């Protein structure tokens, strides 16, 4: 009997080729668009998070207590060596870097700007944050005598300065005295992290220590092997070292978490839209299809077919259309996302606007199994829902009412 | 002894409680025994089709009772009626009503499959019925590729294949030429004789009516003349 039911569904699909193709194309295109939108958007958000983590905080940052609020150079970490030794021992640490970050002023021949001075070890940064990947001009180096600086992209633009030119960086040292240093611009970075691009100057950590008369650092930035164990590490550090504050990236960048949450909402809305489109499409087509075959179903009922068999016939028919649409849509969507995950989606013409939000001009899409599962659930639910109306219509009429027209 | 089929004071009112309310059947009484070959005749609109539909459980009774094999079919729900039609009744419609997506063979074996016959049983029975009705060569064809007479023979084959106790045929010869009509009636009469199936058919064609062993004449849905 099942064979006959399936045959009835397949025959109906093949006889009504135009209708079948229309529904499959409609579902496939909706899913295609949805998956690409979802993968690209998620890719953007993940890149934004990754940029923030890589260029600044790592997954976990250690500061001296109150440093985050007061930004005072006096609130530096005195126990630099001890913390470093501790971090070297902890298994869950993938990489770390130590840095000094304080406010100051930079002057070129014509302009001055408020800045953040970041004293970093480039060797450590290239392993920890791969900062070198953000370099868009010049060298990833502070020069032979470490008297060089690497500037944020927008800051260089505002100062109207190029690689090879000199700038003067001024700030207050740990004694409270004004101090200045002349640095040669060695390179320009574009991290898409606004803090760095608009007002960041990177200089040698050792140079910064001398320049600021500082016997320590202001921040440890740490990446973990297993982020789910971050709280365990925080607790351990706090128990071993006094007067430290530890923040993971979620606490440092709540806006990024909100972006991720927004993305989830956005995805739900997108699925709802596709669900509605697919439902309306399948509903319309199935209604017409059932109406066309109403007499046939009535005959089947008249000669003793249970209503449940009629339901299976119609259900298989729409399920086959839905599944075909899902498969075609998944292949198209998955293929497109795979391409964008390898080669990226080039949005260079919107790069300025995107960088305002911390996004890269080239977005690498993400592909997740969830996309396909959610798409399948959406199509399956839409298919089921679309059958309710036509089946109710069919059930309300007696076979003879329908046969006699 | 209980009769095979009893129609007791059956009435059918169309559009009940509405402006166009009308009687399709009024206070019909009828008793039919197993193995009979009966024609229900009468002019158009006399209620022949309505009576057959009520007996077959395809339409609901407004008042009265139809007792089929001791079961009051007016008390059955839709699922029970489906089961009754599947297991006990074969239908032959005026417009053949074959399933366009199925071949003649699939149409014939459809009810058998509903009843749970194995493929082997279906094949044997389809071949047997097809031989009796002269449609062996038509079995692999789709209804669209058959003539009216051929389609009606397939429809009769479908009705008898699962060995029902009753065949209800609503004007089965109406769309056939005289020769095909007589051939079909001969076949149905033979099936009635050989397989012991009770056959009730409707017609207003005198040539076809003559083939029946018992004739019931309806007029205006309520006059009834029963002659053997």
């Amino acid at each position: 009997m099942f064979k006959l039911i399936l045959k009835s569904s397949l025959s109906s699909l093949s006889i009504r080729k135009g209708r079948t193709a229309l529904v499959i194309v409609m579902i496939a295109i909706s899913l295609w668009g949805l998956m690409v939108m979802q993968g690209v958007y998620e890719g953007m958000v993940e890149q934004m998070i990754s940029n923030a983590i890589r260029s600044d905080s790592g997954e976990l940052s250690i500061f001296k207590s109150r440093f985050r609020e007061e930004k005072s150079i006096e609130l530096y970490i005195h126990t630099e060596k001890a913390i470093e030794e501790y971090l070297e021992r902890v298994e869950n640490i993938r990489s770390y870097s130590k840095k000094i970050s304080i406010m100051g002023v930079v002057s070129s021949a014509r302009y001055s700007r408020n800045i953040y001075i970041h004293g970093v070890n480039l060797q450590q940064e290239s392993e920890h944050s791969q900062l070198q990947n953000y370099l868009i001009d010049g060298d990833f180096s502070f020069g032979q005598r470490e008297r060089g600086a690497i500037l944020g992209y927008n800051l260089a633009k505002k100062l109207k300065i190029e690689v090879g030119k000199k700038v003067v960086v001024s700030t207050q040292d740990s004694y409270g005295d004004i101090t200045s240093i002349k640095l040669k611009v060695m390179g320009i970075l574009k991290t898409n992290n606004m803090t760095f691009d608009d007002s960041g100057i990177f200089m040698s950590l050792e140079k910064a220590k001398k320049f600021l008369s500082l016997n320590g650092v202001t921040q440890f930035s740490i990446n973990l092997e297993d982020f789910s164990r971050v709280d365990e590490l925080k607790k351990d550090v706090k128990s071993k070292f006094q007067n430290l504050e530890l923040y993971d990236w979620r606490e440092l960048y709540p806006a990024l978490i909100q972006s991720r949450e927004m993305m989830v909402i956005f995805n739900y809305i997108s699925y709802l839209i596709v669900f509605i489109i697919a439902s309306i499409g399948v509903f319309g087509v199935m209604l017409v299809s059932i109406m066309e075959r109403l007499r046939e179903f009535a005959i089947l009922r008249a000669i003793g077919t249970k209503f449940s068999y009629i339901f299976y016939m119609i259900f298989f028919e729409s399920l086959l259309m839905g599944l075909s649409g899902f498969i075609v849509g998944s292949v198209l969507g998955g293929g497109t996302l795979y391409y964008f995950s390898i080669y990226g989606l080039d949005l260079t013409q919107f790069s300025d606007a995107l960088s305002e939000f911390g996004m890269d001009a080239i977005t690498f899409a993400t592909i997740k199994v969830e996309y396909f599962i959610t798409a399948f659930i959406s199509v399956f639910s839409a298919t089921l829902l679309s059958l309710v109306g036509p089946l109710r219509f069919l059930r309300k009429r007696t076979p003879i009412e329908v046969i006699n027209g | 002894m209980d009769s095979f089929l009893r129609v007791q004071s059956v009435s059918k009112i169309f559009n009940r409680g509405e402006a166009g309310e009308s009687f399709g059947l009024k206070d019909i009484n009828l008793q039919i025994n197993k193995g009979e070959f009966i024609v229900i005749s009468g002019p158009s609109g006399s209620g022949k089709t309505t009576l057959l539909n009520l007996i077959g459980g395809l339409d609901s009774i407004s008042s009265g009772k139809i007792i089929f094999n001791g079961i009051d079919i007016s008390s059955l729900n839709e699922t029970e009626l489906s089961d009754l039609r599947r297991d006990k009744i074969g239908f032959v419609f005026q417009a053949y009503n074959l399933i366009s997506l199925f071949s003649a063979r699939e149409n014939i074996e459809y009810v058998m499959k509903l009843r749970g016959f194995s493929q082997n049983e279906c094949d044997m029975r389809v071949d047997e019925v097809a031989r009796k009705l002269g449609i062996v060569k038509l079995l692999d064809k789709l209804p669209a590729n058959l003539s009216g007479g051929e389609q009606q023979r397939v429809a009769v084959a479908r009705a008898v294949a699962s060995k029902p106790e009753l065949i209800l045929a609503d004007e089965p010869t109406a769309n056939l030429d005289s020769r095909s009509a007589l051939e079909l009636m001969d076949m149905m009469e033979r099936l009635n004789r050989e397989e012991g199936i009770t056959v009730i058919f409707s017609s207003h064609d005198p040539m076809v009516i003559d083939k029946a062993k018992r004739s019931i004449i309806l007029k205006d849905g309520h006059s009834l003349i029963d002659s053997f």
Side-chain angles (χ1 to χ4, degrees):
Chain A
M1 194 58 213
F2 176 76
K3 223 167 120 186
L4 214 59
I5 288 173
L6 199 62
K7 195 203 158 167
S8 155
S9 306
L10 286 171
S11 303
S12 174
L13 288 174
S14 68
I15 282 172
R16 297 162 178 90
K17 286 190 183 73
R19 177 214 67 177
T20 307
L22 179 74
V23 176
I24 291 173
V25 167
M26 196 170 60
I27 293 174
I29 289 179
S30 308
L31 285 186
W32 184 17
L34 176 80
M35 280 186 179
V36 171
M37 219 156 59
Q38 194 179 18
V40 168
Y41 186 49
E42 195 159 342
M44 277 179 175
V45 173
E46 292 306 321
Q47 264 175 270
M48 202 160 77
I49 292 169
S50 161
N51 285 337
I53 291 174
R54 278 173 59 194
S55 59
D56 184 16
S57 65
E59 289 173 319
L60 178 70
S61 275
I62 303 176
F63 303 98
K64 185 83 173 176
S65 293
R66 302 197 330 273
F67 176 80
R68 289 253 306 147
E69 295 82 46
E70 297 177 23
K71 300 276 189 263
S72 166
I73 193 166
E74 289 158 18
L75 297 170
Y76 68 93
I77 299 167
H78 299 79
T79 50
E80 178 193 340
K81 286 281 168 218
I83 291 175
E84 214 167 354
E85 279 166 19
Y86 168 81
L87 294 177
E88 291 291 343
R89 285 200 310 271
V90 177
E91 236 180 60
N92 194 21
I93 307 289
R94 193 170 72 232
S95 65
Y96 71 90
S97 75
K98 47 186 186 171
K99 53 181 95 176
I100 294 171
S101 296
I102 53 155
M103 286 189 285
V105 174
V106 64
S107 305
S108 66
R110 286 191 290 171
Y111 299 97
S112 293
R113 290 276 164 189
N114 291 326
I115 52 158
Y116 279 99
I117 304 161
H118 302 286
V120 295
N121 178 326
L122 285 186
Q123 177 67 32
Q124 218 172 32
E125 287 298 333
S126 63
E127 286 163 17
H128 172 69
S129 63
Q130 291 157 345
L131 204 59
Q132 70 278 18
N133 294 345
Y134 295 119
L135 193 76
I136 57 166
D137 197 9
D139 297 323
F140 189 69
S141 155
F142 294 135
Q144 278 186 341
R145 290 165 57 208
E146 300 216 311
R147 292 190 68 93
I150 298 173
L151 269 66
Y153 165 75
N154 284 334
L155 179 64
K157 252 176 39 178
K158 285 171 190 166
L159 293 172
K160 296 197 186 305
I161 209 160
E162 296 161 1
V163 172
K165 301 283 183 189
K166 288 190 174 145
V167 289
V168 174
V169 173
S170 308
T171 188
Q172 203 175 32
D173 66 16
S174 60
Y175 300 114
D177 297 329
I178 298 296
T179 177
S180 295
I181 187 170
K182 191 157 74 178
L183 299 168
K184 186 179 173 188
V185 178
M186 301 297 294
I188 294 173
L189 290 174
K190 190 175 182 192
T191 62
N192 288 326
N193 180 335
M194 279 166 70
T195 318
F196 291 98
D197 290 349
D198 289 359
S199 56
I201 282 191
F202 293 86
M203 63 181 290
S204 153
L205 178 63
E206 292 312 312
K207 208 72 173 169
K209 279 183 179 176
K210 279 183 200 161
F211 163 58
L212 298 165
S213 307
L214 202 67
N215 192 23
V217 294
T218 58
Q219 180 186 1
F220 275 89
S221 163
I222 300 164
N223 284 336
L224 304 177
E225 292 288 356
D226 179 5
F227 184 73
S228 64
R229 288 167 55 202
V230 67
D231 290 335
E232 192 184 303
L233 181 67
K234 278 186 190 174
K235 213 168 152 187
D236 197 41
V237 172
K238 279 194 172 177
S239 70
K240 288 189 167 62
F241 303 95
Q242 305 301 308
N243 298 321
L244 294 181
E245 283 174 355
L246 290 95
Y247 298 96
D248 65 52
W249 70 269
R250 297 167 302 189
E251 293 159 316
L252 291 171
Y253 293 103
L256 293 179
I257 292 292
Q258 282 177 352
S259 296
R260 200 180 246 181
E261 283 164 0
M262 266 172 61
M263 183 189 69
V264 172
I265 294 168
F266 171 81
N267 286 341
Y268 280 131
I269 293 170
S270 306
Y271 272 115
L272 188 68
I273 292 168
V274 168
F275 178 77
I276 291 169
I277 292 171
S279 295
I280 291 172
V282 179
F283 175 83
V285 172
M286 286 318 294
L287 184 64
V288 171
S289 167
I290 292 172
M291 299 301 273
E292 269 178 9
R293 298 170 65 198
L294 216 52
R295 188 178 160 82
E296 202 166 287
F297 293 131
I299 295 163
L300 289 175
R301 286 181 71 194
I303 60 177
T305 311
K306 282 196 168 90
F307 192 80
S308 58
Y309 287 162
I310 307 277
F311 167 79
Y312 290 136
M313 282 180 192
I314 299 171
F315 174 69
F316 278 133
E317 195 175 323
S318 18
L319 188 67
L320 286 171
M321 281 195 288
L323 277 181
S324 306
F326 167 74
I327 291 167
V328 177
S330 296
V331 168
L332 289 173
T336 310
L337 284 182
Y338 179 73
Y339 178 84
F340 285 144
S341 72
I342 303 288
Y343 301 104
L345 174 63
D346 192 349
L347 298 170
T348 308
Q349 52 182 325
F350 307 111
S351 59
D352 287 343
L354 288 169
S355 63
E356 291 290 313
F357 296 100
M359 292 172 182
D360 294 344
I362 295 178
T363 296
F364 291 91
T366 57
I367 309 181
K368 289 183 176 171
V369 181
E370 291 108 274
Y371 300 168
F372 298 93
I373 295 171
T374 325
F376 178 79
I377 293 169
S378 292
V379 170
F380 189 76
S381 319
T383 306
L384 266 185
L385 197 73
S386 70
L387 296 182
V388 175
L391 281 169
R392 277 189 62 180
F393 179 88
L394 194 61
R395 182 145 217 176
K396 275 184 181 172
R397 280 150 183 81
T398 64
I400 210 65
E401 268 178 332
V402 182
I403 291 172
N404 290 341
Chain B
M1 191 179 93
D2 280 346
S3 30
F4 176 64
L5 179 70
R6 267 187 297 145
V7 178
Q8 295 178 339
S9 308
V10 164
S11 294
K12 174 68 184 174
I13 303 166
F14 292 112
N15 304 317
R16 198 172 203 169
E18 292 174 20
E21 181 176 299
S22 63
F23 271 96
L25 289 174
K26 196 172 181 185
D27 197 27
I28 299 290
N29 287 286
L30 187 63
Q31 195 159 309
I32 292 166
N33 295 317
K34 200 167 173 59
E36 284 198 278
F37 191 70
I38 302 171
V39 63
I40 298 172
S41 62
S44 290
S46 59
K48 303 186 292 291
T49 301
T50 305
L51 180 58
L52 288 181
N53 289 340
L54 295 181
I55 292 171
L58 293 174
D59 208 351
S60 56
I61 298 165
S62 302
S63 65
K65 272 183 183 179
I66 294 177
I67 312 291
F68 177 68
N69 256 346
I71 301 163
D72 179 3
I73 66 167
S74 50
S75 68
L76 301 181
N77 63 30
E78 188 48 50
T79 308
E80 290 165 335
L81 281 172
S82 276
D83 291 345
L84 178 84
R85 292 196 292 263
R86 180 194 65 196
D87 298 337
K88 310 276 185 192
I89 306 172
F91 289 91
V92 180
F93 300 95
Q94 183 180 339
Y96 329 129
N97 288 343
L98 297 174
I99 306 304
S100 59
L101 301 172
F102 295 164
S103 67
R105 177 181 287 279
E106 287 164 340
N107 266 286
I108 297 168
E109 66 187 17
Y110 180 81
V111 181
M112 284 191 280
K113 288 204 164 161
L114 281 182
R115 288 183 61 183
F117 284 47
S118 69
Q119 189 57 53
N120 196 31
E121 286 171 314
C122 288
D123 289 342
M124 281 169 62
R125 180 66 178 155
V126 170
D127 290 341
E128 183 191 347
V129 174
R131 262 198 314 277
K132 279 185 184 173
L133 292 169
I135 53 170
V136 175
K137 288 182 180 167
L138 310 179
L139 289 178
D140 294 326
K141 292 188 176 179
L142 286 172
N145 300 326
L146 301 175
S147 70
E150 289 170 338
Q151 284 193 58
Q152 196 59 300
R153 280 197 237 173
V154 173
V156 172
R158 177 179 67 184
V160 300
S162 64
K163 297 188 177 173
E165 293 179 23
L166 172 68
I167 287 182
L168 296 172
D170 184 17
E171 308 227 19
T173 60
N175 292 331
L176 304 181
D177 58 56
S178 308
R179 193 168 149 237
S180 303
L182 282 175
E183 273 179 16
L184 187 81
M185 289 318 298
D186 285 340
M187 284 172 200
M188 287 179 68
E189 196 269 330
R190 204 167 64 237
L191 288 168
N192 164 253
R193 199 175 58 239
E194 290 174 2
E195 309 222 353
I197 303 171
T198 308
V199 178
I200 307 173
F201 63 97
S202 67
S203 180
H204 53 253
D205 179 349
M207 199 168 65
V208 173
I209 293 167
D210 281 349
K211 290 276 177 186
K213 292 167 191 164
R214 179 180 167 194
S215 176
I216 294 162
I217 302 169
L218 283 180
K219 197 180 169 191
D220 301 331
H222 54 88
S223 304
L224 189 69
I225 303 163
D226 198 344
S227 60
F228 288 87

